[in-house]
Amino acid sequence: MELPGPQLRTLLELARGATMTAAAAALGYTPGAVSQHIAALERATGAELVRRTGRRVELTDAGRTLAVHAERILAAQAEALAAVERGRGEVGGRLVLGVFGSAAAVLLAPALHRLRSRHPAVRVVSREVDVDQAYAEVCAGRVDLALGLDYPDAPLPRDGKVELVRLRTERFALALPAGCPPREAARGALRLARAAELAWILPAPASHYGRAVRTACRRAGFEPRVAHEVTDTATSLAMVAAGLGVAPVTDLMLRLRSEGVTVVPLTDALERHLVVAVDAVARRRPPVAALIRALGEGAVPEGVVGFRAADGPGGAVAFPDSGGANGAPRASGAGSTDGAPPSPAPGVPEEIPGRGADGRTDRPAGTAAGDGYERAAAP
């Protein structure tokens, strides 16, 4: 009895509750091919594996039993493949990499160029995935590894089957229309609470990013007033430049667009981690390790975005008690009367629990060894 990997993956996709059409889309097949895979498994096992219930299908008892064993079979196949590749000496093979928009635009091409120059036998197929689904895409076997974002205030799941390899930690700053930093910005940084009455440009609250920012704002004592709900980074920054609101920003995000915005560091600790989600077994494959290394080399060393004012016109942002006429910010060096604590010098990160003297951290504050969070190996 033969149980090919592609057919077993199709069964597992259906076991997760997908329709024939959804399973086909997730796996890159036609619905007809999905039906053929199931029919072939039924012939091989001599048992009915699925039954139709209206427009959906559900697994029979035999189908659920085979699905449990399918995971073990596929894991054993992955172990065997990794062992063969390690023994072969040559780094090669085909990988499917899940990517999301901003990371693909900034990191993907240079990383693939580095990988090809070192290991021309490695073939990478990139597939765009929802950044919040990176972990799930690897768990489901739809991609071998995926770039993702992990927020301490809205973390990705961890179940032991998939590891998160951190490439970079970024600290958020606040993007304002060019030419209108508040008075704290002139001293180097801004308390998040000072932006409580501004119009915000944020992703939906159901997203990991949207939830993380809202959590940080609530910790600072306010609920952000979201004027525009936008997911695309370049669009958000274009709206900031047009004076339509403010938005969180990191160095990686600024590579997509920086014209017409002023970037002000925040005193509040609001971070995200650029990670690679990878199957724990697949990570031992030489081509997977080589790709992770190439991606890591493209990640700029972590740190805080320093005060940065781009050239170009921008709308006015009126901060409460900004001290100027019509809400205009005070001149550089103007004093504060609201009891704000001293701000760090431009470009100097605050001391953050869990960080060393150089500002780097091996894992997020509050996590422990063995939690599946690892830093990419040095090249």
Side-chain angles (χ1 to χ4, degrees):
M1 178 174 64
E2 293 186 3
L3 299 173
Q7 296 175 5
L8 293 176
R9 289 190 183 89
T10 297
L11 180 68
L12 285 175
E13 195 67 31
L14 294 176
R16 297 183 181 101
T19 64
M20 288 283 192
T21 301
L27 296 169
Y29 301 134
T30 64
V34 169
S35 297
Q36 291 172 11
H37 283 183
I38 298 303
L41 287 176
E42 290 180 332
R43 288 194 300 271
T45 59
E48 181 185 25
L49 302 177
V50 302
R51 65 169 62 95
R52 290 191 175 276
T53 56
R55 299 180 63 182
R56 302 184 65 85
V57 295
E58 63 179 22
L59 269 60
T60 63
D61 289 343
R64 286 189 289 272
T65 299
L66 181 58
V68 171
H69 288 278
E71 290 191 350
R72 300 173 186 167
I73 293 170
L74 292 172
Q77 290 178 347
E79 287 272 14
L81 177 59
V84 169
E85 289 178 338
R86 289 194 300 270
R88 190 171 56 195
E90 180 187 10
V91 179
R94 179 180 183 272
L95 299 176
V96 180
L97 171 66
V99 298
F100 62 94
S102 58
V106 174
L107 299 177
L108 184 60
L112 294 185
H113 177 75
R114 282 189 292 271
L115 182 67
R116 184 174 58 185
S117 66
R118 297 168 186 166
H119 307 291
V122 178
R123 294 180 295 112
V124 177
V125 176
S126 55
R127 178 179 298 170
E128 188 164 3
V129 300
D130 185 319
V131 64
D132 287 346
Q133 295 300 313
Y135 196 95
E137 292 290 311
V138 177
C139 282
R142 290 187 282 266
V143 297
D144 295 301
L145 63 169
L147 284 165
L149 292 171
D150 193 32
Y151 300 87
D153 286 318
L156 291 171
R158 287 159 172 78
D159 63 5
K161 296 179 181 178
V162 173
E163 295 179 357
L164 297 179
V165 182
R166 188 187 303 180
L167 303 180
R168 171 184 182 178
T169 293
E170 293 191 303
R171 186 150 175 193
F172 280 95
L174 194 65
L176 313 171
C180 56
R183 70 174 181 272
E184 283 93 338
R187 300 203 310 265
L190 174 73
R191 291 184 298 118
L192 189 58
R194 293 288 291 160
E197 296 183 22
L198 300 182
W200 285 72
I201 303 167
L202 290 177
S207 67
H208 287 255
Y209 177 22
R211 187 162 70 251
V213 175
R214 286 168 175 83
T215 298
C217 291
R218 290 164 190 156
R219 193 161 53 237
F222 71 97
E223 186 70 22
R225 181 169 61 85
V226 181
H228 303 281
E229 199 169 277
V230 178
T231 300
D232 182 75
T233 298
T235 301
S236 297
L237 292 176
M239 296 177 78
V240 171
L244 300 177
V246 301
V249 69
T250 68
D251 280 339
L252 188 64
M253 297 164 75
L254 283 171
R255 294 197 207 176
L256 297 176
R257 180 191 170 97
S258 60
E259 298 83 3
V261 299
T262 291
V263 178
V264 181
L266 293 170
T267 61
D268 306 68
L270 175 55
E271 294 181 334
R272 71 177 189 178
H273 312 293
L274 178 63
V275 299
V276 174
V278 58
D279 180 86
V281 175
R283 187 181 176 186
R284 295 197 288 271
R285 296 178 56 192
V288 172
L291 177 54
I292 292 175
R293 186 175 298 113
L295 290 166
E297 290 171 11
V300 176
E302 60 195 67
V304 179
V305 179
F307 178 82
R308 181 176 180 278
D311 294 333
V317 173
F319 277 75
D321 188 30
S322 58
N326 300 320
R330 293 186 184 185
S332 174
S336 172
T337 59
D338 61 0
S343 301
V348 178
E350 292 181 275
E351 182 178 347
I352 304 170
R355 286 185 180 271
D358 61 353
R360 301 181 66 83
T361 178
D362 289 334
R363 54 179 55 88
T367 61
D371 62 0
Y373 220 137
E374 300 184 39
R375 179 175 299 285

